[in-house]
């Protein structure tokens, strides 16, 4: 439909992770002891709100992970494809992507941010703010028409959002009415009075707010640069949205890469003890003694040297940047597994002495079966809580590393690269503030709701809190 499919390494890992998460929840729904904590998460208002916002971010990241070579039009030699790599998300926001200007422009502006020398029709040259090529080009007189036009576009977007919200809410009520075998009116009263077990009213309000933001923003983005443009005239909103995939990949793939080390070594150290425990403790103590930033910087520099000497192995800049992103995830995973490993070692030492584990050993059950049947299931709450808590820290780590030029590739969209490029813009007079503000807002929103979700998951899964 779009062109020739391309499978980047991080794309494959993202979809593998999505499959693992779906398989886990399917498995958990069939186990009462696993189903009950996640029901508690869904029944929490904060949990529902944070899940809906996180699903929006993850949805954008997944759409931006379906890549392809676009088909060349008007090709005389049959079907040919471009060497560029695009994503499904790129195709959805193609108008914003192609709406480039000459240089800086402020949010919702119709003119460039700086004056230029313009030659008039009579040959006279004067300094003025040139009109933008794309932003507000439909306005004849921006000074008098722009505010009314922005309001009209917002009204159109709000009407579309209300229609979609009403259709989705009606569908939800019909499903709930069918499942509960109750009348339509009773279900409506239960939902909008907040009397349902799951906070559907909260979910409905959150959905309405998200739809308003999406549809109104979409209407504005078709006529204006909602968050302005950067030094080379690229739309800042497009950059911020494209950076979502980088942040989600860093936060999720890093945890996926560190899990095997933390779980295997932590359980081995606590269960077998002796010299195995000594070796594993020596390993993670040694890793902790090395400054993480220096280790990451050394690894990234070595990767840059390798890519510079083997440039022919990379078909495009996108594949080159993707390899660096994967390598950064790997390095962050290798340096961040030690904390979870310590927790699992301590928990295994405690579980090893519990009666049912001692009874299994007395009846001749082997170590492998004991670990998988009795040790690992009783510490999964620690694993899940740690993963959710570490997600936001890893997103912030990418921003810091990219800011000091040892993070993702400079050609890849990321909030860290946006903050790094905004460093010099803040020294201008007048200040170009919108690139920094956009990256901080999107990153703040993701980290905030990830932390809210982490608190809800911790309250549901931590047995010490659940017993209170």
């Amino acid at each position: 439909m779009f062109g020739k499919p391309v499978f980047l390494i991080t794309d494959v890992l993202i979809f593998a992770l999505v499959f693992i998460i779906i398989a886990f929840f399917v498995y958990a729904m069939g186990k009462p002891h696993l189903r009950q904590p996640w029901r508690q998460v869904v029944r929490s208002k904060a949990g529902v709100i944070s899940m809906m916002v996180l699903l929006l971010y993850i949805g954008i990241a997944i759409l931006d992970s379906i890549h392809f070579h676009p088909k060349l039009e008007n090709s005389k030699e049959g079907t040919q494809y471009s060497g560029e790599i695009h994503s499904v998300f790129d195709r959805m926001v193609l108008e914003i992507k192609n709406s480039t200007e000459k240089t800086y422009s402020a949010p919702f502006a119709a003119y460039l941010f700086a004056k230029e020398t313009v030659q008039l029709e009579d040959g006279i040259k004067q300094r003025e703010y040139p009109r933008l090529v794309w932003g507000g080009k439909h306005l004849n007189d921006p000074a008098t028409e722009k505010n009314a036009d922005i309001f009209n576009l917002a009204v159109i977007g709000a009407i579309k959002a209300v229609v979609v919200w009403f259709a989705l809410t009606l569908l939800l009520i019909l499903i709930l009415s069918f499942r509960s075998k109750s009348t339509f009116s009773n279900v409506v009263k239960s939902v909008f009075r907040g009397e349902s077990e799951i906070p559907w009213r909260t979910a409905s309000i959150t959905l309405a707010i998200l739809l308003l933001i999406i549809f109104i923003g979409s209407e504005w983005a078709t006529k204006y640069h909602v968050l302005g443009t950067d030094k080379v005239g690229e739309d800042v909103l497009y950059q911020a949205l494209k950076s979502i995939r980088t942040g989600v990949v860093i936060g999720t793939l890093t945890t996926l890469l560190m899990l095997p080390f933390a779980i295997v070594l932590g359980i081995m150290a606590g269960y077998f003890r002796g010299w195995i425990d000594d070796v594993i403790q020596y390993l993670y103590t040694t890793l902790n003694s090395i400054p993480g930033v220096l280790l990451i910087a050394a690894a990234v520099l070595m990767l840059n040297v390798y890519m510079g000497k083997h440039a022919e192995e990379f078909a495009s800049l996108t594949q080159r940047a993707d390899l660096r992103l994967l390598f950064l995830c790997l390095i962050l995973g290798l340096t961040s597994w030690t904390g979870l490993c310590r927790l699992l070692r301590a928990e295994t030492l405690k579980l090893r002495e519990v009666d049912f584990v001692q009874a299994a050993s007395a009846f001749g059950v082997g170590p492998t079966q004991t670990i998988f049947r009795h040790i690992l299931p009783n510490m999964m709450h620690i694993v899940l809580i740690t993963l959710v808590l570490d997600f936001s820290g890893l997103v912030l780590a990418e921003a810091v590393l990219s800011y000091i030029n040892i993070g993702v590739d400079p050609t890849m969209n990321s909030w860290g690269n946006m903050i790094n490029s905004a460093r010099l813009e803040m020294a201008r007079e007048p200040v170009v503030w919108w690139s920094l503000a956009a990256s901080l807002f999107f990153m703040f929103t993701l980290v905030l709701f990830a932390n809210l979700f982490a608190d809800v998951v911790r309250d549901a899964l931590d047995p010490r809190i659940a017993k209170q």
Side-chain angles (χ1 to χ4, degrees):
M1 179 180 178
F2 296 111
K4 184 180 179 180
V6 178
F7 299 99
L8 302 178
I9 301 175
T10 53
D11 296 341
V12 176
L13 292 176
I14 285 175
F15 287 105
L17 183 59
V18 170
F19 175 78
I20 291 172
I21 293 174
I22 294 175
F24 169 76
F25 277 103
V26 171
Y27 173 78
M29 291 302 102
K31 304 291 182 180
H33 67 287
L34 295 176
R35 184 171 62 245
Q36 182 59 33
W38 289 106
R39 279 186 174 179
Q40 184 178 336
V41 173
V42 176
R43 291 167 184 167
S44 167
K45 293 182 179 180
V48 169
I49 295 172
S50 57
M51 275 194 296
M52 294 182 69
V53 175
L54 291 177
L55 284 175
L56 177 61
Y57 272 82
I58 293 171
I60 294 175
I62 291 175
L63 290 174
D64 204 17
S65 299
I66 306 174
H67 290 98
F68 59 92
H69 288 295
K71 186 184 297 185
L72 293 175
E73 298 181 0
N74 301 324
S75 177
K76 298 180 181 180
E77 301 180 2
T79 304
Q80 291 187 338
Y81 300 95
S82 170
E84 297 181 354
I85 297 178
H86 293 181
S87 68
V88 173
F89 183 73
D90 288 331
R91 184 61 62 90
M92 294 173 63
V93 295
L94 188 62
E95 189 174 8
I96 304 176
K97 179 182 179 182
N98 295 333
S99 61
T100 56
E101 305 293 346
K102 186 176 181 180
T103 183
Y104 296 114
S105 65
F108 291 103
Y111 298 90
L112 286 178
F113 189 63
K115 287 186 176 181
E116 292 185 356
T117 301
V118 179
Q119 185 172 354
L120 303 179
E121 295 180 357
D122 55 4
I124 299 176
K125 295 182 179 180
Q126 68 178 30
R127 299 278 293 175
E128 64 178 27
Y129 296 100
R131 282 291 299 268
L132 297 179
V133 176
W134 188 86
K137 66 179 181 180
H138 63 292
L139 301 176
N140 294 321
D141 184 11
T144 58
E145 298 176 6
K146 187 174 70 173
N147 292 336
D149 185 63
I150 292 174
F151 177 78
N152 291 336
L153 291 172
V155 171
I156 294 172
I159 293 173
K160 292 180 179 179
V162 170
V163 171
V164 174
W165 173 82
F166 181 79
L168 293 176
T169 304
L170 179 62
L171 179 62
L172 171 64
I173 293 174
L174 289 174
I175 293 173
L176 293 176
S177 177
F178 176 77
R179 293 186 60 183
S180 62
K181 297 181 180 180
S182 181
T183 62
F184 183 85
S185 59
N186 289 337
V187 173
V188 171
K189 292 178 182 178
S190 174
V191 169
F192 288 99
R193 289 178 180 177
E195 299 173 352
S196 56
E197 187 177 12
I198 297 175
W200 291 117
R201 183 176 64 177
T202 302
S204 180
I205 295 173
T206 305
L207 177 63
I209 295 173
L210 293 177
L211 289 174
L212 284 172
I213 294 173
I214 293 171
F215 280 94
I216 293 177
S218 299
E219 290 296 322
W220 283 341
T222 59
K223 302 296 183 181
Y224 300 94
H225 298 288
V226 179
L227 297 177
T229 57
D230 63 359
K231 186 176 183 180
V232 297
E234 190 175 25
D235 192 273
V236 173
L237 176 61
Y238 172 74
Q239 294 180 356
L241 291 173
K242 287 285 289 184
S243 301
I244 290 177
R245 178 184 183 271
T246 305
V248 172
V249 167
I250 290 286
T252 54
L253 291 191
T254 302
T255 58
L256 177 66
L257 293 172
M258 82 170 188
L259 266 185
F261 296 98
I263 293 177
V264 173
L265 296 180
I267 293 177
M268 286 179 61
Y271 188 81
F272 295 106
R273 298 187 295 187
W275 67 269
I276 296 178
D277 187 18
D278 294 337
V279 170
I280 294 174
Q281 284 193 72
Y282 178 80
L283 178 61
Y284 65 61
T285 303
T286 303
L287 273 176
N288 279 338
S289 65
I290 304 173
V293 175
L294 294 180
L295 183 61
I296 294 170
V300 170
L301 290 175
M302 287 190 296
L303 179 64
N304 288 341
V305 171
Y306 172 81
M307 291 191 298
K309 292 183 178 180
H310 302 82
E312 68 280 357
E313 297 181 6
F314 306 99
S316 65
L317 291 175
T318 304
Q319 292 177 327
R320 176 189 174 101
D322 186 72
L323 178 62
R324 179 162 171 172
L325 175 62
L326 176 65
F327 196 74
L328 181 63
C329 292
L330 181 62
I331 296 300
L332 286 172
L334 289 175
T335 56
S336 60
W337 62 269
T338 55
L340 180 58
C341 182
R342 277 188 175 136
L343 290 174
L344 296 183
R345 173 184 174 272
E347 188 70 12
T348 305
L349 286 172
K350 182 181 74 174
L351 291 174
R352 191 179 187 277
E353 306 301 326
V354 176
D355 292 341
F356 60 85
V357 177
Q358 293 290 328
S361 300
F363 280 106
V365 178
T368 303
Q369 195 172 2
T370 301
I371 289 173
F372 279 99
R373 281 196 174 184
H374 303 296
I375 302 294
L376 184 59
N378 285 285
M379 61 174 55
M380 284 307 296
H381 66 281
I382 297 178
V383 176
L384 292 173
I385 292 169
T386 304
L387 292 185
V388 178
L389 288 173
D390 285 350
F391 175 84
S392 57
L394 291 168
V395 173
L396 295 174
E398 180 276 323
V400 173
L401 294 173
S402 297
Y403 179 75
I404 58 178
N405 292 320
I406 59 172
V408 300
D409 194 88
T411 61
M412 175 171 283
N413 293 109
S414 78
W415 294 315
N417 283 336
M418 291 180 67
I419 294 172
N420 188 26
S421 63
R423 177 177 51 182
L424 298 177
E425 296 173 357
M426 297 299 292
R428 285 175 53 97
E429 182 59 40
V431 174
V432 179
W433 52 268
W434 44 87
S435 291
L436 179 64
S439 57
L440 290 178
F441 173 77
F442 278 85
M443 184 169 58
F444 167 78
T445 304
L446 177 59
V447 172
L448 172 64
F449 287 100
N451 285 338
L452 288 175
F453 185 68
D455 290 340
V456 176
V457 171
R458 182 192 61 195
D459 294 343
L461 295 179
D462 194 336
R464 292 172 299 180
I465 298 178
K467 291 179 180 178
Q468 293 179 359

